């Protein structure tokens, strides 16, 4: 009976597990889905904004896969010095690493480490109740915020900064974050890109949501949009980009509303410095840019400062090395051939990758399906010609012997019940538990087992 480990329970890991059990050549296959956290679903639980219920509903699809009798969820299992990849290969016939891209890219400008300057990832982790998140409060004392980047994550954090408490209370946002955002004095949020609207990475659906926020107006400068040749002649743009341009055109033509909160969409501004004032962020200095005719931009030598007490950078992600696995620092991925891990340019038997750690932080959630299928196809081809001894013992025994105490599916269900009870006590729906102690206590249940 082949027993495979999948490391990571986000979409790429769950899709890999699903592909493994759905193939017909090995009906007796068993899959353990391991995760460092005691909760499954990865970025669907900890990266999707709480007000995006439709995307969060993907958890139901992932749940169905993880409840398959041939699949076992083992949370709270961290691959690293105490449980290195070499040890996993002793316990399993093969291991598929689906560990994502956990690091954010930096701006590389002076002042980036000032108090009040964060990655958007930090902010998302805080309002998503990730147990590693810092409880900084983020918006306390903030009236103006800048989000640097024009992708969907930048749109998400911009929207969350402008959301009202009444709109967030029905979601599963943790109580502490809800309280801080309810008391927020943020009045102006600037979302800034160094290039023009035709190079922006946000989707039209996400963009339009900014214009539907109660008590909030979106302000767009027609002059900045007009610098983009694609804006002036949208007919040649791809349909999705053309729809974005049409939305921006509508906002630029609309008279000012005088709303309580304002979202400013700015383009052709490149950050060059985060300016300090009284020991923390006070403003961001930008250089004005112009198109270079090849999809990039050139500096103009003109500068502008936008006052802000909070800066969130959202300029991309990078994979991080996993101890015991090879790593390409330039690409931020594990070297591979069709999902087979390469060590020194040679295939490492039994080791595979899927998801962002395989291809880099590209694509949408659905992109993980074909990516996982390619990797699983390689794995199954290799299992058809086994070169390693057959394992009889349940790998869980080996994990326990190594000092690991996994949170199994029943433990995760206990966490769900505890979150439902917490929400009920607060007069809300299910509310996420935000700390390690609370999650692990909930997983043990009332008996503390």
């Amino acid at each position: 009976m082949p027993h495979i480990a999948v490391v990571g329970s986000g979409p790429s890991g769950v899709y890999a597990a699903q592909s493994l059990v759905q193939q017909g050549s090995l009906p007796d296959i068993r899959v353990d889905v391991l995760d460092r956290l005691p909760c499954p679903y990865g970025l669907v639980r900890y990266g999707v904004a709480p007000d995006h219920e439709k995307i969060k509903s993907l958890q139901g699809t992932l749940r169905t896969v993880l409840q398959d009798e041939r699949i076992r969820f083992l949370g709270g299992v961290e691959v690293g010095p105490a449980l290195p990849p070499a040890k996993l290969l002793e316990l399993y016939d093969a291991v598929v690493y689906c560990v994502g891209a956990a690091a954010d890219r930096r701006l590389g400008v002076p002042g980036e480490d000032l108090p009040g300057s964060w990655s958007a990832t930090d902010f998302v982790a805080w309002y998503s109740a990730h147990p590693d998140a810092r409880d900084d409060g983020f918006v306390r004392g903030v009236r103006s915020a800048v989000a640097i980047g024009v992708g969907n994550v930048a749109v998400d954090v911009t929207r969350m900064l402008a959301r009202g408490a009444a709109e967030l209370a029905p979601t599963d946002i943790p109580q502490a974050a809800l309280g801080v955002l309810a008391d927020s004095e943020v009045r102006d949020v600037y979302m800034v890109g160094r290039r023009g609207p035709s190079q922006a990475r946000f989707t039209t659906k996400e963009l339009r949501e900014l214009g539907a926020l109660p008590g909030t107006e979106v302000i767009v400068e027609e002059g900045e949009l007009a610098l983009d040749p694609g804006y002036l002649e949208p007919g040649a743009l791809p349909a999705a980009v053309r729809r974005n341009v049409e939305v921006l055109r509508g906002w630029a033509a609309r008279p000012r509303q005088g709303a309580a909160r304002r979202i400013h969409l700015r383009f052709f501004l490149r950050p060059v410095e985060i300016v300090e004032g009284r020991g923390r962020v006070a403003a961001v200095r930008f250089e004005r840019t112009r198109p270079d005719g090849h999809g990039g931009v050139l500096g103009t030598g003109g500068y502008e400062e936008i006052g802000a007490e909070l800066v969130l950078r959202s300029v991309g992600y990078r994979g991080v090395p996993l101890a015991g696995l090879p790593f390409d620092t330039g690409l931020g991925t594990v070297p591979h051939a069709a999902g087979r891990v390469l060590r020194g340019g040679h295939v490492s038997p039994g080791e595979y990758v899927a998801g962002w750690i395989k291809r880099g932080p590209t694509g949408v959630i659905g992109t993980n399906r074909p990516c996982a299928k390619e990797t699983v196809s390689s794995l199954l081809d290799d299992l058809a010609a086994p070169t390693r001894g057959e394992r009889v013992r349940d790998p869980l025994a080996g994990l326990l012997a190594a000092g690991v105490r996994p949170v199994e599916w029943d433990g995760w269900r206990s966490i769900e019940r505890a979150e439902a009870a917490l929400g009920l006590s607060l007069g809300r729906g299910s509310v996420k538990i935000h700390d390690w102690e609370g999650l692990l206590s909930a997983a043990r249940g009332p008996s503390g087992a």
Side-chain angles (χ1 to χ4, degrees):
M1 177 192 297
H3 212 134
I4 313 300
V6 172
V7 180
S9 68
S12 62
V14 175
Y15 292 152
Q18 184 179 41
S19 293
L20 283 164
V21 298
Q22 284 184 343
Q23 53 72 39
S25 59
L26 295 169
D28 61 343
I29 197 167
R30 294 293 182 269
V31 181
D32 283 352
V33 177
L34 315 180
D35 202 291
R36 183 177 73 88
L37 299 175
C39 309
Y41 313 137
L43 283 179
V44 177
R45 176 176 166 91
Y46 289 116
V48 175
D51 60 341
H52 270 180
E53 290 298 327
K54 185 173 181 180
I55 302 176
K56 288 169 69 68
S57 68
L58 178 61
Q59 292 185 19
T61 302
L62 303 182
R63 171 191 295 274
T64 299
V65 176
L66 292 174
Q67 287 179 319
D68 188 292
E69 62 182 7
R70 296 162 294 180
I71 296 175
R72 179 169 56 185
F73 172 71
L74 300 176
V77 179
E78 182 170 10
V79 179
L83 185 66
K87 179 64 176 177
L88 284 182
L89 276 180
E90 293 177 9
L91 301 175
Y92 293 93
D93 294 282
V95 184
V96 185
Y97 293 93
C98 307
V99 291
D104 61 277
R105 293 183 182 274
R106 293 177 61 82
L107 299 172
V109 301
E112 189 167 10
D113 294 319
L114 282 170
S117 171
W118 299 90
S119 75
T121 306
D122 293 322
F123 185 55
V124 171
W126 172 70
Y127 67 60
S128 297
H130 194 292
D132 291 338
R134 289 181 56 177
D135 185 11
D136 183 71
F138 289 96
V139 301
R140 291 191 181 100
V142 174
R143 293 190 63 85
S144 179
V146 172
I148 299 174
V150 283
N152 278 345
V153 174
V155 175
D156 277 353
V157 299
T158 296
R159 190 182 66 256
M160 289 294 292
L161 285 167
R163 276 286 191 204
E167 302 149 60
L168 291 174
T171 74
D172 63 1
I173 188 171
Q175 186 70 12
L178 176 63
V180 171
L181 292 174
D183 294 336
S184 168
E185 297 180 350
V186 173
R187 294 296 174 262
D188 291 277
V189 185
Y190 296 81
M191 190 171 75
V192 186
R194 64 184 177 88
R195 298 191 293 175
S198 66
Q199 286 87 40
R201 304 296 294 274
F202 43 63
T203 58
T204 308
K205 178 181 179 297
E206 294 264 358
L207 181 64
R208 283 177 174 150
E209 288 180 346
L210 296 180
L213 297 175
T216 303
E217 67 175 316
V218 180
I219 299 172
V220 183
E221 302 292 338
E222 177 76 31
E224 289 182 351
L225 302 180
L227 292 174
D228 188 337
Y231 177 79
L232 295 174
E233 300 179 12
L237 295 173
V241 179
R242 189 166 63 250
R243 288 192 294 270
N244 286 344
V245 168
E246 291 169 355
V247 172
L248 293 169
R249 277 183 183 276
W251 286 336
R254 189 168 58 185
R256 298 285 174 88
Q257 304 166 14
R261 286 194 176 103
R262 296 163 292 275
I263 294 174
H264 308 258
L265 301 186
R266 304 292 307 274
F267 297 93
F268 293 109
L269 292 172
R270 177 167 58 198
V272 294
E273 182 184 3
I274 298 177
V275 181
E276 181 266 344
R278 297 184 179 180
R280 60 170 293 116
V281 168
V284 185
R285 190 168 191 247
F286 294 92
E287 182 181 15
R288 297 189 185 93
T289 63
R290 61 178 176 82
D292 65 3
H294 305 286
V297 292
L298 297 171
T300 66
Y303 295 88
E304 176 181 343
E305 280 193 10
I306 297 177
E309 298 84 24
L310 172 67
V311 177
L312 300 172
R313 63 182 182 274
S314 179
V315 291
Y317 299 92
R318 286 183 58 82
V320 295
L322 184 64
L325 281 184
F327 190 73
D328 184 323
T329 55
L331 297 176
T333 59
V334 171
H336 71 93
R340 297 178 176 94
V341 172
L342 299 177
R343 292 182 180 271
H346 301 285
V347 170
S348 177
E351 294 185 308
Y352 303 85
V353 285
W356 279 5
I357 200 63
K358 171 187 174 183
R359 67 180 191 273
T362 60
V364 295
I365 289 175
T367 310
N368 290 297
R369 282 191 183 275
C371 175
K373 285 184 177 180
E374 180 193 52
T375 295
V376 168
S377 178
S378 296
L379 187 157
L380 294 174
D381 286 346
D382 297 342
L383 280 183
T387 58
R388 308 167 65 203
E390 182 177 351
R391 288 157 182 75
V392 178
R393 190 171 68 162
D394 184 345
L396 180 56
L399 293 174
L400 294 172
V404 176
R405 294 295 178 267
V407 174
E408 298 191 49
W409 191 255
D410 285 346
W412 158 239
R413 293 289 290 120
S414 292
I415 292 173
E416 287 189 308
R417 288 191 292 271
E419 291 184 336
L422 174 61
L424 184 62
S425 71
L426 297 168
R428 298 173 56 194
S430 182
V431 172
K432 285 181 179 175
I433 297 171
H434 69 278
D435 63 297
W436 277 100
E437 182 180 357
L439 288 169
L440 293 176
S441 175
R444 289 191 291 268
S447 66

